[in-house]
Amino acid sequence: MVYKYMTGFGNHFESESIKGALPVGQNTPKKAPHGLYTEQLSGTAFTVPRAGNARSWLYRIRPSVIHKPFVKYHEKQEEEDMKMHVTPAQLRWAPFEPKVDEKEKGKSGRVDFVDGMRKLCESGHPELREGLAIYIYNFNQGMSEGKRSFFSSDGDFLIVPQEGGLLIQTEFGNMEVRPLEIAVIQCGMKFTVNKIDGESNLEYFRGYILEVYSGHFSLPDLGPIGANGLANPRDFLVPVARYEKIDTGVEYQIINKMQGQYFKATQAHSPYDVVAWHGNYVPYKYDLTKFCVVNSVSYDHLDPSIFTVLTCKSTRPGTAVADFVIFPPRFAVQQNTFRPPYFHRNVMTEFIGLISGHYEAKKEGFMPGGASLHSMAIPHGPDTATVKRESCRVDEPERVAEGTMSFMFESMFQMKVADWALNKDGKVDENYYKAWEDMPVTFTESE
Ligand SMILES: [Fe+2]
């Protein structure tokens, strides 16, 4: 199905699926058109300065507050309570697979997006609204089959599908999000993740999620680059209002994540009954292939911050809770320059994932659906084979990362790693250190 979208980043949008459903000239009339209930969804404190203030007004068949009491979602909680570890190791993972859990398989062998989502790394705590988490998801069942809806009270979700296109139903409307696209679902917004009908016979759908506990994503400032380039605002797409009218016989399960814990509640109506809405606090998607790459055209590397798609700024100027950075296909033309990423020790934490293709700084071992983590001040860089190949390459313009899309979640915070991800079942590569082991000494005292 082809869904319609509105374009722009940070705009004040308005959308109605029935003509006249949006109140004219005010937000909260005594009686909203068509007998709808009025509900505000705040994305920032009321008093945040206007430039950063975010909220939307939703006009819906029933207010969200009608539901049975929340109870602990014990089935999901078990794994979340697992220990997180501190490690300085350079970590690399083979493509992540669904969790090995015979109990689960014995039950049904079916897992949806929420149950298939596993926390891999975390820093900080949502209780104080500071930090971030990284999740991997593997699922084989749409959430609609179980009439399930999820929302996080902890932060904004940036979803990076790697295998399988997603149909994401939200209170604001529907979005189709395929690999090489991303979606952002902000704190408090309910959503349901399904497969796109008839599009894939994959055994499992897989992807990455970045959740930021403080602030929201914005476009990076461009400084001397000027008014254009990197991710252009007009390429961000926002869904249009679309509602589900279910009167009787339905039981929706609403799943909430709060302070890293999972809760569930039932309700006898659809959470997707918003007939019209307006505001600037919205879910959106972006096609990564539309990113306008900027780089050096003379010599040397510019820093990877030039590849930033979205940033969630921290309160310390110039630093980020998390940057979302991509390395798309592009020309490399720098002369007398070692073109792949250089050896590096960073004051930021770098988590890298691969959506498709082959990452230029590693000959082998880093595969689509896998990941790597290089923590604060921990050395990393190109492997031996890449160094040997690239240090004697003839200077000429070349295409790099052709057919490839890798990305980085880069954070000013230090992260801990989940217990499950530090053993073989978690796909960790215990031989990663060997990538640099055979680096030759080429030093000579006389040139
Ligand atoms: Fe780095």
Side-chain angles (χ1 to χ4, degrees):
M1 175 134 186
V2 179
Y3 294 104
K4 286 186 178 159
Y5 302 94
M6 296 177 283
T7 62
F9 189 92
N11 300 8
H12 288 258
F13 298 95
E14 60 177 50
S15 182
E16 54 185 18
S17 50
I18 295 177
K19 200 166 166 41
L22 270 177
V24 176
Q26 66 175 127
N27 295 324
T28 54
K30 197 178 293 177
K31 286 188 177 179
H34 294 272
L36 295 168
Y37 286 96
T38 303
E39 188 177 276
Q40 183 177 203
L41 178 63
S42 294
T44 53
F46 298 133
T47 46
V48 161
R50 181 176 284 262
N53 202 300
R55 57 89 184 91
S56 283
W57 286 95
L58 279 52
Y59 300 92
R60 56 194 318 154
I61 299 172
R62 293 177 182 83
S64 301
V65 71
I66 307 173
H67 63 79
K68 294 280 194 292
F70 278 109
V71 296
K72 205 80 179 264
Y73 185 14
H74 290 290
E75 305 91 308
K76 176 73 183 163
Q77 196 60 43
E78 242 170 61
E79 186 165 285
E80 290 302 311
D81 291 340
M82 267 192 177
K83 199 168 164 34
M84 303 293 287
H85 297 275
V86 175
T87 172
Q90 295 92 347
L91 292 174
R92 181 164 71 185
W93 291 275
F96 294 98
E97 290 183 358
K99 60 183 159 186
V100 179
D101 187 339
E102 290 308 318
K103 210 170 51 180
E104 185 66 32
K105 278 184 185 162
K107 213 161 55 181
S108 67
R110 309 277 281 164
V111 60
D112 69 10
F113 176 84
V114 169
D115 286 345
M117 190 172 84
R118 311 176 82 184
K119 185 159 64 187
L120 176 66
C121 305
E122 187 175 33
S123 180
H125 200 285
E127 185 180 353
L128 296 175
R129 302 182 66 178
E130 190 73 281
L132 70 155
I134 295 170
Y135 308 83
I136 302 296
Y137 69 78
N138 284 98
F139 74 86
N140 60 5
Q141 174 177 288
M143 286 169 65
S144 279
E145 287 182 46
K147 283 273 176 279
R148 307 224 298 171
S149 171
F150 173 77
F151 71 103
S152 174
S153 293
D154 293 339
D156 292 8
F157 269 41
L158 188 157
I159 302 172
V160 184
Q162 189 267 322
E163 287 245 63
L166 310 178
L167 168 53
I168 305 181
Q169 184 178 21
T170 78
E171 292 172 276
F172 295 77
N174 290 3
M175 300 189 285
E176 286 181 338
V177 186
R178 297 178 173 82
L180 301 181
E181 294 181 307
I182 57 155
V184 173
I185 316 284
Q186 308 199 66
C187 184
M189 295 173 181
K190 293 195 179 107
F191 67 101
T192 289
V193 178
N194 290 317
K195 302 174 181 181
I196 299 175
D197 268 352
E199 207 161 274
S200 172
N201 296 319
L202 287 167
E203 195 182 344
Y204 276 91
F205 284 43
R206 178 170 54 209
Y208 311 82
I209 303 166
L210 167 65
E211 183 180 24
V212 289
Y213 296 154
S214 50
H216 299 294
F217 290 103
S218 58
L219 293 170
D221 290 325
L222 293 179
I225 294 172
N228 304 287
L230 310 190
N232 287 308
R234 66 180 296 216
D235 293 326
F236 287 81
L237 301 179
V238 173
V240 297
R242 179 187 178 87
Y243 68 97
E244 236 176 30
K245 183 172 174 289
I246 303 175
D247 287 329
T248 52
V250 68
E251 183 176 275
Y252 251 96
Q253 187 177 61
I254 309 295
I255 296 155
N256 169 244
K257 183 169 78 69
M258 175 171 278
Q259 296 185 37
Q261 302 193 17
Y262 288 80
F263 301 88
K264 60 184 180 182
T266 57
Q267 64 183 46
H269 62 96
S270 170
Y272 307 112
D273 63 355
V274 178
V275 179
W277 60 265
H278 77 88
N280 64 340
Y281 190 55
V282 296
Y284 54 87
K285 70 168 195 162
Y286 175 72
D287 178 348
L288 302 177
T289 65
K290 294 192 169 165
F291 188 80
C292 178
V293 181
V294 171
N295 211 333
S296 164
V297 291
S298 56
Y299 63 89
D300 278 0
H301 265 260
L302 301 186
D303 293 317
S305 45
I306 52 167
F307 297 105
T308 303
V309 180
L310 289 167
T311 181
C312 176
K313 291 179 183 172
S314 86
T315 51
R316 299 179 215 177
T319 65
V321 174
D323 286 327
F324 174 61
V325 175
I326 60 171
F327 305 103
R330 59 200 182 274
F331 279 101
V333 299
Q334 303 96 317
Q335 292 183 304
N336 191 28
T337 298
F338 183 80
R339 289 179 181 170
Y342 41 76
F343 292 111
H344 191 201
R345 290 182 293 163
N346 194 351
V347 74
M348 306 277 278
T349 303
E350 303 180 14
F351 174 90
I352 294 186
L354 185 57
I355 300 167
S356 57
H358 183 87
Y359 185 61
E360 62 185 313
K362 297 288 188 298
K363 184 165 182 277
E364 55 191 20
F366 189 52
M367 289 170 275
S372 69
L373 179 72
H374 300 116
S375 297
M376 187 169 169
I378 299 302
H380 56 277
D383 63 14
T384 307
T386 305
V387 170
K388 285 181 178 170
R389 186 186 71 237
E390 294 295 328
S391 48
C392 54
R393 180 184 285 281
V394 176
D395 265 354
E396 58 184 1
E398 58 173 331
R399 289 288 290 172
V400 295
E402 202 68 85
T404 295
M405 188 67 79
S406 53
F407 69 90
M408 176 161 66
F409 299 148
E410 187 177 32
S411 174
M412 67 173 286
F413 297 127
Q414 301 211 49
M415 290 192 245
K416 293 187 175 70
V417 182
D419 195 77
W420 68 265
L422 289 174
N423 60 57
K424 272 190 173 166
D425 282 346
K427 294 291 165 190
V428 76
D429 177 355
E430 289 168 348
N431 292 316
Y432 185 29
Y433 71 96
K434 292 182 179 170
W436 301 284
E437 210 171 38
D438 301 327
M439 199 74 65
V441 175
T442 51
F443 173 71
T444 53
E445 287 191 333
S446 55
E447 256 321 80

